[in-house]
Amino acid sequence: MRRAYNAGRWDAARTHASHLLLRPSEQTLARSVIVRSYWNEGRFQELVDSTEDWHDELSHSYREQAIDRLKVTGGAKKLTMMKEEKLQRLRDEQPKPKVPIQWSAEHMDANYSQEGSRVWFRYPEGYVFWDMPSDYELQSTHPALLCLTAEVLLSPWISSSKGPLPKGRTQGERASLSFSAGTDSTAAAAVMDDSTLLGYHRRSFNSMLDHRNAERLINHLNSTGEREVLSISSNHELIRTNHGKPVGFSTDFACASHLLLLADHFDLGAIGFGMPIDNTYLWKGRKFRKFEETQYYTYWTKRFAQAGLDLLFPIASISEAGALMIVKQSSWLEHLNSCMRGDGINGCGRCWKCFHKNGPLGRPFDITSSEIQTFLNKRPMPTATHALWALHIMNQEGQVPDLSHLFTSDLSWWTQVYPPAYNLLPDRWRTSIRNSISEFLKDMEFPHYLEKINHFDE
Ligand SMILES: [Zn+2]
């Protein structure tokens, strides 16, 4: 029994122990082996069931702890069920087209229809829609764009959405940007040409997300004519809720599904994403990688090209901090706030965005808030390089005493440009983006410190 227990063979240890339960001299030891082995395996229900009539101290104490554990997991299960029911209700409430569409796993472009200015998309579990400009025509949209839209929405679950794209779309002339009105995409908008079309995705149903901060900047850009921003309402963030995920984008590129569908309407030749170094050359913001060699980059660049579009990463050369420095120097700063829980003007001061986006801009936040503390105490720390820089410039290094060794080098390079990233930009768009960025920020010195980053020795 002891040997089995010490070797972690819990089942065998319990079998031996159960034979000894009736021997008074062995009973205490036998009970403790049964209790501890169930505990070690996390089999709390069995532990509770088998100790019902055991009143010794050890069995009693483990039994109480097991009951607590069961309450916690039971509570978590109940919460998940409540969330699931709420999402089901939300999906049930969504509108449906007047004329049904038959789902086709084979022909992705056959899953669309248009009723008025609303474009419908059929997917296996239901329908989603986009409300397009009134003169939009689905039938004048190249099928490659429809298939690529289906792929960015369904590829995690429907492998046939990754099939060959119909050929023959001619690349358009105008660049566009998937625009969230947050700091990164605003910095991307600032370094792209004035003629860039900014596409804002507007969640069509109510949620915790507050659009007012975004609308303030969008109204400013549209009313001054500095940029053209198009807001498109859609409910496609519900697709992934059919797969046990919360409301959100199916893939990183789903946030541009409206621009893909509008690419012929606006003669688009490129779609940009405001992805900073933290997500390109750094893996999870904490370990250097050659972004251009990742499967992510090569695969999606090829797919967009097959639909006559350049996939652009205009701020792949700069970090979140660089993006902050750009918006700080722009006239848009006073109209911008990345916090999605603010009152329409200010940030909430208590979320992670308020700490790492608003804090370095000199805006108020509460370092003791539970969300900010949770993120700061996670290891590896999320968006670590940026968070370290933010802690450093705000004199808050003391918040993470175990990471003090990461503050020994000078972090000023983090707000500078990593020039090799310019090679990701197709010739046609490179010069103007490069010139704009260099008006705002200096290049990093060579050799590039960025390439050494691996904060947690992974
Ligand atoms: Zn906030």
Side-chain angles (χ1 to χ4, degrees), residues 229-268:
V229 194
L230 198 68
S231 271
I232 300 290
S233 280
S234 173
N235 59 356
H236 69 74
E237 286 178 274
L238 290 173
I239 292 177
R240 70 177 204 171
T241 66
N242 291 286
H243 303 277
K245 297 207 163 194
V247 171
F249 297 127
S250 302
T251 65
D252 285 353
F253 302 104
C255 60
S257 62
H258 50 355
L259 289 171
L260 287 168
L261 293 171
L262 286 161
D264 279 336
H265 187 82
F266 286 104
D267 190 30
L268 301 183

Side-chain angles (χ1 to χ4, degrees), residues 190-239:
V191 302
M192 290 178 80
D193 196 83
D194 298 356
S195 66
T196 303
L197 176 71
L198 311 188
Y200 179 72
H201 160 79
R202 196 188 159 90
R203 196 179 276 183
S204 63
F205 50 90
N206 287 330
S207 69
M208 291 285 286
L209 198 146
D210 192 310
H211 287 278
R212 287 176 301 174
N213 273 339
E215 274 162 4
R216 211 155 47 91
L217 177 61
I218 292 168
N219 290 341
H220 173 77
L221 294 172
N222 275 332
S223 64
T224 57
E226 288 178 77
R227 292 291 186 282
E228 182 184 357
V229 194
L230 198 68
S231 271
I232 300 290
S233 280
S234 173
N235 59 356
H236 69 74
E237 286 178 274
L238 290 173
I239 292 177

Side-chain angles (χ1 to χ4, degrees), residues 65-358:
Q65 290 183 65
I67 289 171
D68 280 349
R69 290 292 181 98
L70 287 168
K71 273 187 203 149
V72 172
T73 47
K77 260 187 208 154
K78 213 165 153 192
L79 205 71
T80 314
M81 268 167 63
M82 272 164 61
K83 275 188 192 156
E84 194 38 60
E85 277 165 26
K86 220 172 128 190
L87 286 171
Q88 185 61 51
R89 259 205 311 281
L90 186 57
R91 288 195 297 264
D92 292 344
E93 283 166 9
Q94 297 304 305
K96 287 192 175 65
K98 292 189 194 90
V99 181
I101 309 169
Q102 186 87 31
W103 158 250
S104 167
E106 217 178 314
H107 302 287
M108 286 295 151
D109 53 326
N111 291 314
Y112 294 84
S113 74
Q114 182 170 6
E115 291 177 352
S117 59
R118 183 164 282 188
V119 169
W120 291 103
F121 175 61
R122 174 76 215 233
Y123 69 106
E125 293 85 5
Y127 293 94
V128 289
F129 68 83
W130 295 260
D131 283 331
M132 293 300 201
S134 55
D135 54 348
Y136 176 76
E137 283 177 2
L138 180 68
Q139 58 182 17
S140 314
T141 304
H142 195 280
L145 297 169
L146 305 183
C147 292
L148 185 55
T149 305
E151 182 177 7
V152 300
L153 295 174
L154 301 181
S155 59
W157 312 285
I158 310 283
S159 56
S160 64
S161 68
K162 299 180 221 173
L165 297 177
K167 292 190 170 63
R169 178 176 184 259
T170 315
Q171 186 173 12
E173 292 297 320
R174 191 176 179 189
S176 67
L177 173 70
S178 169
F179 184 67
S180 71
T183 317
D184 298 335
S185 67
T186 303
V191 302
M192 290 178 80
D193 196 83
D194 298 356
S195 66
T196 303
L197 176 71
L198 311 188
Y200 179 72
H201 160 79
R202 196 188 159 90
R203 196 179 276 183
S204 63
F205 50 90
N206 287 330
S207 69
M208 291 285 286
L209 198 146
D210 192 310
H211 287 278
R212 287 176 301 174
N213 273 339
E215 274 162 4
R216 211 155 47 91
L217 177 61
I218 292 168
N219 290 341
H220 173 77
L221 294 172
N222 275 332
S223 64
T224 57
E226 288 178 77
R227 292 291 186 282
E228 182 184 357
V229 194
L230 198 68
S231 271
I232 300 290
S233 280
S234 173
N235 59 356
H236 69 74
E237 286 178 274
L238 290 173
I239 292 177
R240 70 177 204 171
T241 66
N242 291 286
H243 303 277
K245 297 207 163 194
V247 171
F249 297 127
S250 302
T251 65
D252 285 353
F253 302 104
C255 60
S257 62
H258 50 355
L259 289 171
L260 287 168
L261 293 171
L262 286 161
D264 279 336
H265 187 82
F266 286 104
D267 190 30
L268 301 183
I271 300 183
F273 294 82
M275 220 182 259
I277 283 180
D278 312 64
N279 306 109
T280 55
Y281 286 90
L282 289 183
W283 174 75
K284 298 192 176 185
R286 60 183 195 246
K287 186 186 175 189
F288 181 77
R289 62 174 179 182
K290 287 187 173 160
F291 183 55
E292 64 277 14
E293 291 174 7
T294 58
Q295 212 243 338
Y296 178 89
Y297 175 79
T298 52
Y299 177 78
W300 287 104
T301 299
K302 188 185 77 198
R303 292 300 272 181
F304 274 64
Q306 286 165 351
L309 289 164
D310 284 327
L311 173 57
L312 286 187
F313 295 102
I315 60 163
S317 60
I318 65 170
S319 66
E320 287 188 56
L324 283 172
M325 295 303 118
I326 288 176
V327 298
K328 205 172 173 179
Q329 294 170 65
S330 86
S331 59
W332 301 340
L333 178 64
E334 58 176 308
H335 308 280
L336 167 86
N337 198 312
S338 291
C339 176
M340 293 194 280
R341 297 180 219 155
D343 58 3
I345 296 175
N346 300 303
C348 71
R350 305 186 58 78
C351 71
W352 184 240
K353 284 210 165 157
C354 277
F355 163 72
H356 76 110
K357 301 280 198 195
N358 281 336

